[in-house]
């Protein structure tokens, strides 16, 4: 049994270092680490095919630690193996035991929860907000499938964590897309944070659930090296067998394994220190002696099975009119009208042809968002991932696809994007390069009512735009195109930018405002009318309402400037200059709740101290159903008549 | 078979009206309605115990239509039965067929998706964002359980919708809390919006999943009245039998039942009109003749089993020092320090004793949020609902508890509150009276890193605060207390307010700033230092950092005013007055991303046109782990030294 004894010895070493690291940091979860000691040792020292000197290699097997708080056990293995760490590849160095002891220090790459971008390339995505790892793993597997890379993705999930519905969305997704390279490993250590786990998350029930979802569940003793190795080998064998079901491993483990004084209730997230620490370490040594732990067999990390596919450089995408012609849709040009969501679909398809890295995801509304243009194109279909009605999973899958080198575009109704806000934030934190397109945003949706309208979304996404990444780029761009040319161009711009972008698209057909000669970019804006009396700032549907208001104001002898502010953040100086040229009077328009575009303008104005006035028109009451966008505009005081009236009021004029 | 023939006749009538309503509105989902025709007829005309003249009666059986887009079939039944409609009880009138034909009109109470607050009291909560209804149903059942009311809660869930992980969180919750009065009915009509449903959501797989989760699944023909009635009767019998498992019904149905021309792919959400409408109606008549539909047996709505419990008026809660004394925690007064999250737990417990309507929910972090103070009090324990690690379910359960007359307080880490943002918005739209307490907010959490820090939350919740309810109250209040007295008092204020409130609590122990004599209220603020040079606006942890900055500035001869702006929205005029008294110079502090408190101040200043200057200090980079709050404050430029430096810069002073 020398494999067992060697793994036992390794498990004990790694657990001891986990106790020491968390004691040094004064926080962390050593008992969770102990429950994962054997699983980590078997995976990282024997079973996984990877290279410590190149932990981010695209062909290596991956470990997604969904229960991110247990990361010190992985750090311990990385310190032992000298895995490369460092923020950039230029800075990579071999991780040491001393590095491990800097856990959670402000100057350390050894974060409290896994995150690649702070300098830990072994991990693919930030985890720690629970329930998201299996979706990330599925995204990594989907990426490998597209690229024809033979790699396996192991995902460790806590038993308490298995309560998150997203885990089961991910299980469904794995079966739908037959991503058998994913191997979920449920770590059933019985104790969650505040209590024992529910009877609904015992190994028996988790195994029954997995089977009901179409998996073969293998229940093992998570501290028995041979049982673990056998189950993992079964996964390796079955994954390419189309007759076999996907494999899921359910491991019975002990929280605080090896240290009886650290077991039972009340030990979650509480590092032992002082005498307690010494006792825990001594108990681990004793446990090792009791079970015959001994490093008496060399462990050998597996060799990668695939070589890296050649990168394919993207080509320039067609122009909008070219795409319309090629896809047989020139009728839109004849109509002179096209919804921005419609233009998104066309752009996504054109982009798919130009850029092999672009993949698309949608949550059963692809005929509304028009992601179907991509999905139904035979040349692109294998890069489309239908996520069904499960938005949380979609966004974390996108994080995985990004980690696999893809540029995922995710679409659903903007309202339902909110289902995945936490997942989106974790993907942002991971440094993921992903794009979100929320359709049917704002009140112009009308008939369906507020259960389908997105109203606080601009405020939320804009908040990320107020903070920057390590390279100085905003954490998020927000785009809201007002016509199809702009929507098309901005979709292409989204792909060019290496980072997260949120684009709001709208339901109604709207007239063209631009043509092929206009250039649009992240951070940009467009002056649509040059006046002198008042600056009107709008985007999306409200640009059209503003144009109607301009006609009314023109009859009153008022000459406003109209800016299509389609991006957040934006060029604040340019907007302040325009305000200055317009009496310092600014009227902002948006068909969502406040805290969005108008507030961004107010931030800039208030910082300037220039004494400009910013009046914001936004949705100030809970909307309801109405049969037309006009009904809603009037209901919410955003109709062209309202805009003109407010503008007149700001200028202290009365209608003629 | 006269029961069958009568239900068939009713099903056909209701379906025909659904076609006519959606044709009139020009949008809606008649084919989904048709799939539910028999289920609706059996429930609303026979099985449910309720009163059309009092559709919101707390003792009546409830129908939660989780697939809200199918609501016209329920509206059709309500029009036929003359169910009361109207925004307020004073305005209630019998619904007519003419009302039904106003579907989705801006002046109509007949919304595109269910919502009680627009005037449809038959419904308990807004649905339409999928996957939330079963949790709402569980909340209604939990409320009835607390009150000892014998009522059953039927929840209709679409097959495509059953992909949402939240459904399975709710199933787990029902089993954990043994809420057998809930009867989920899966409507398996095969077609989702953009495609057939996945093989993972067939009746067979859904039944297998239900069984794995601990339910007995009964698969029926959803257009067979007797089969439906038998399954529902089994639920009625088993629900009080502790030996029996919870019952779930899986109904095989036909999308577009009765009208072959409306069946198959491509008919989701597309009302028939003109000749197509007439054909669909004619086909329904023909189907009726073929199956012998005939209203030849009277249908009798069931009688309610319980009477309404007497309301219990709340008492005044104890003061903070009284509560500390009573709960044996006076050491906090001696220490002079207490975390705001700690004070929340104490207040929640005191509130629980004073107000029998208050219930508490938490997602396995009750020992961090301190909801455990409530959970572990024997007198309150039955009003505590442990939700485990499943936040989406928690917030929708709260919506159900509110609809059942309770005042739910939901807590988890503020970061994980984001898991339920869409559910929270739907609860807001429902007019729910619920409270959210997000702990460990902002960067003062430090060690755990950004996967546990809440950073864009203020922006999101504030956005709701910019819009109003029908009664003029903001859709949401945001609170961030800076000390334990304030956290205690604001928790009590949250219960007094009939509506949604979000409170951010913090991890670190902080010194007391207030005492028993201070009064705090929603919309309030507190002047902590009166100066003349500069107005500093802060809340929460940043008040303490600001106090340190005041000491530095004092040494420089600078005299700032410090306001603890603990509420959004707030009294804008009062803050503008203070700015005016301080040179028009305003410095806002917050330890989250932008778009939050500072932006709210900037909105007010920019609207005033007074020419004041607002500089915002907020988190402008992605945070990471650090061992102390001070580490993070320095990393993000929010340390007292930074504040003092920026304040000096605003006044164009250089340090002495």
């Amino acid at each position: 049994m020398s494999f067992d004894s060697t793994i036992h010895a390794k498990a004990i070493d790694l657990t001891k270092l986990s106790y020491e690291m968390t004691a040094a940091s004064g926080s962390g979860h050593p008992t969770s680490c102990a429950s994962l000691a054997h699983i980590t040792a078997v995976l990282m020292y024997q079973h996984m095919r990877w290279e410590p000197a190149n932990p981010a290699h695209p062909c290596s097997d991956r470990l997604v630690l969904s229960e991110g708080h247990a990361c010190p056990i992985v750090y311990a293995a990385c310190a032992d193996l000298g895995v490369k760490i460092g923020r950039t590849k230029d800075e990579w160095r071999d991780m040491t035991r001393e590095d491990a002891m800097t856990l959670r220090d402000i100057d350390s790459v050894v974060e409290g929860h896994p995150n690649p971008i702070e300098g830990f390339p072994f991990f693919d995505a930030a985890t720690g907000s629970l329930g998201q790892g299996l979706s990330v793993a599925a995204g990594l597997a989907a990426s490998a499938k597209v690229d024809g890379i033979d790699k396996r993705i192991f995902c460790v999930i806590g038993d308490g964590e298995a309560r998150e519905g997203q885990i089961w969305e991910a299980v469904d997704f794995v079966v739908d897309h037959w991503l058998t390279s994913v191997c979920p490993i449920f770590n059933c250590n019985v104790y969650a944070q505040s209590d024992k786990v529910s009877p609904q998350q015992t190994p028996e029930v988790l195994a029954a659930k997995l089977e009901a979802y179409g998996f073969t569940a293998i229940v093992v003793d998570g501290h028995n090296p041979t049982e673990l190795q056998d189950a993992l080998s079964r996964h390796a064998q079955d994954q390419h067998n189309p007759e076999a079901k996907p494999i899921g491993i359910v491991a019975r483990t002990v929280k605080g394994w090896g240290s009886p004084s650290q077991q039972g209730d009340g030990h979650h997230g509480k590092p032992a220190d002082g005498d307690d620490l010494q006792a825990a370490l001594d108990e681990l040594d004793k446990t090792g002696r009791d079970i015959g732990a001994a490093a008496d067999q060399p462990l050998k990390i597996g060799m990668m099975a695939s070589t890296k596919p050649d990168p394919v450089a993207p080509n320039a995408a067609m122009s909008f009119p070219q795409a319309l012609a090629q896809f047989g849709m020139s009728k839109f040009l004849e109509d002179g009208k096209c919804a921005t969501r419609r233009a998104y679909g066309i752009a996504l398809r054109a982009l798919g042809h130009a850029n092999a890295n672009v993949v698309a995801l949608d949550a059963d509304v692809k005929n509304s968002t028009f992601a179907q243009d991509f999905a139904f194109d035979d040349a692109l279909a294998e890069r489309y991932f239908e996520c069904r009605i499960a938005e949380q999973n979609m966004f974390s899958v996108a994080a995985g696809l990004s980690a696999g080198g893809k540029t995922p575009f995710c679409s659903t109704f903007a309202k339902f994007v909110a289902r995945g806000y936490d997942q989106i934030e974790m993907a942002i934190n991971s440094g993921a390069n992903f794009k979100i397109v929320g359709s049917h945003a704002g009140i112009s949706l009308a008939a369906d009512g507020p259960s389908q309208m997105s109203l606080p979304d601009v405020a939320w996404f804009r908040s990320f735009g107020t903070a920057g990444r390590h390279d100085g780029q905003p954490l998020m761009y927000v785009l809201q195109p007002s016509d199809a040319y702009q929507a098309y161009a901005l979709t292409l711009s989204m792909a060019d930018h290496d980072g997260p972008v949120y684009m709001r698209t709208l339901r109604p057909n709207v007239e063209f405002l631009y043509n092929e000669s206009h250039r649009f970019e992240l951070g940009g804006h467009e002056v649509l009318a040059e006046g002198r009396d008042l600056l009107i700032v709008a985007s999306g549907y409200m640009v059209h309402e503003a144009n109607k208001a301009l006609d009314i104001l023109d009859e009153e002898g008022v000459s406003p400037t109209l800016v299509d502010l389609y991006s957040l953040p934006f060029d604040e100086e340019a907007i302040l200059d325009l305000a200055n040229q317009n009496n310092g009077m600014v009227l902002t328009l948006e068909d969502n709740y406040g805290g969005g575009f108008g507030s961004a303008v107010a931030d800039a104005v208030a910082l300037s101290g220039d004494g400009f006035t910013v009046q914001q028109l936004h949705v100030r009451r809970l909307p309801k159903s109405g049969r037309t966008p006009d009904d809603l505009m009037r209901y919410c005081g955003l109709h062209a008549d309202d805009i003109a009236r407010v503008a007149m009021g700001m200028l202290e004029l009365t209608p003629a």
Side-chain angles (χ1 to χ4, degrees), chain A residues 360-602:
Chain A
L361 304 89
D362 191 276
D364 189 36
V365 289
K366 59 181 176 291
N367 54 339
S368 290
T369 60
F370 288 103
Q372 70 178 18
D373 288 8
F374 188 106
F376 291 164
D377 186 320
D378 288 343
L380 308 174
E382 74 163 14
R383 288 190 271 137
Y384 174 76
F385 296 94
E386 176 55 59
C387 294
R388 310 284 179 177
I389 306 173
E391 297 79 8
Q392 299 192 99
N393 177 65
M394 175 168 72
F395 293 111
S396 300
V397 166
L401 281 159
S402 167
K406 303 298 167 204
T407 305
F409 279 71
C410 310
S411 53
T412 182
F413 279 35
K415 173 68 164 60
F416 310 143
V417 171
R419 298 294 278 257
Y421 274 10
D422 190 47
Q423 289 75 12
I424 289 168
E425 183 168 3
M426 292 304 292
I428 293 169
N429 291 357
S430 304
N433 176 25
F434 70 119
K435 323 296 168 183
I436 305 161
V437 178
S439 71
H440 299 69
I443 61 169
S444 66
L445 170 57
D448 290 291
S451 74
Q452 324 282 302
M453 291 170 180
S454 191
L455 298 161
D457 58 324
V458 180
W460 195 77
F461 280 105
R462 161 169 112 79
S463 187
F464 288 99
T466 68
R469 308 191 304 201
H470 298 323
D471 66 2
Q473 282 283 338
L475 290 179
M476 172 68 69
Y477 279 100
V478 178
L479 302 175
Q480 177 161 254
S482 58
D483 92 335
Y485 278 96
Q486 201 180 45
Y488 186 92
L490 288 174
T491 304
L492 305 187
S493 297
M494 290 168 83
D496 290 340
H497 174 67
D498 181 10
V501 185
Y502 173 62
M503 184 164 79
R504 285 181 121 215
T505 63
L506 306 175
R507 185 190 196 196
N509 278 322
V510 287
E511 289 174 9
F512 294 126
L513 299 173
Y514 299 105
N515 60 45
E516 222 183 318
S517 69
H518 287 90
R519 295 283 163 268
F520 304 103
E521 58 187 8
L522 307 194
H525 64 271
E526 193 73 24
V527 178
L528 282 169
E530 287 191 76
R532 62 183 178 273
D533 296 328
L534 172 85
L535 174 63
I536 298 180
V537 178
S539 67
Y541 190 84
M542 296 312 296
V543 173
H544 299 271
E545 211 62 40
N547 267 328
K548 285 185 249 170
L550 255 57
D551 292 341
I552 302 170
L553 290 167
D554 183 56
E555 287 184 21
E556 300 284 353
V558 175
S559 161
T561 296
L562 174 59
V563 167
D564 180 357
L565 186 65
Y566 58 78
S567 171
L568 296 175
F570 56 89
D571 180 344
E572 299 187 0
E573 283 204 26
I575 299 297
L576 291 174
D577 281 349
L578 287 168
N580 197 36
Q581 294 158 24
N582 283 271
N583 278 323
M585 300 303 272
V586 185
L587 176 59
T588 66
L589 312 177
E590 56 199 312
D591 72 338
N592 41 264
Y593 295 149
F597 286 90
S599 212
V601 172

Side-chain angles (χ1 to χ4, degrees), chain A residues 209-355:
Chain A
K209 289 178 178 176
L210 276 173
E211 297 270 351
Y213 279 72
F215 269 61
T216 295
I218 305 178
V219 181
V220 299
D221 173 352
H223 300 293
N224 182 319
T226 298
E227 277 191 37
L228 283 168
Q229 172 74 355
D230 289 349
L232 291 165
S233 298
R234 168 80 182 275
H235 178 261
Q237 288 156 20
D238 279 9
Q239 64 155 330
H240 296 302
N241 175 2
E243 306 295 310
K245 294 178 180 176
I247 296 287
I249 298 174
V250 179
R252 294 178 195 278
T253 62
V254 177
K255 197 155 176 170
W257 178 86
S259 302
S261 67
Q262 294 294 313
Q263 295 168 9
D265 207 3
H267 290 283
H268 179 93
K270 293 188 181 149
D273 60 5
D275 291 346
D276 291 343
L277 171 61
Q278 195 54 53
L281 298 175
D282 291 346
E283 288 172 334
L284 278 161
D285 285 334
K286 178 176 182 306
T287 297
R289 291 189 297 274
D290 291 349
I291 61 176
D296 52 11
Q297 174 180 306
L299 296 169
K300 192 161 182 313
I301 292 175
M303 297 255 295
M304 287 186 267
S306 297
T307 52
K308 192 175 169 180
D310 292 332
V312 182
N315 301 314
M318 293 173 277
S319 71
F320 186 46
Q322 284 170 337
L324 289 174
Q326 173 146 347
F327 303 147
M329 293 176 169
S330 297
K331 76 174 176 63
F332 287 114
L333 291 183
E334 294 150 27
D335 294 350
K337 277 189 165 191
C338 180
T340 52
R341 62 186 170 117
R342 192 72 205 75
Y344 166 67
I346 296 163
L348 184 67
R349 187 176 175 190
L351 198 51
H353 284 282
N355 187 335

Side-chain angles (χ1 to χ4, degrees), chain A residues 15 30 36 55 57 59 82 113 137 193 206 350 368 389 452 460 465 567 648:
Chain A
T15 304
L36 281 179
H57 195 291
C59 300
H113 290 81
Q193 175 174 323
L206 290 176
S368 290
I389 306 173
Q452 324 282 302
W460 195 77
S567 171
M648 298 284 285

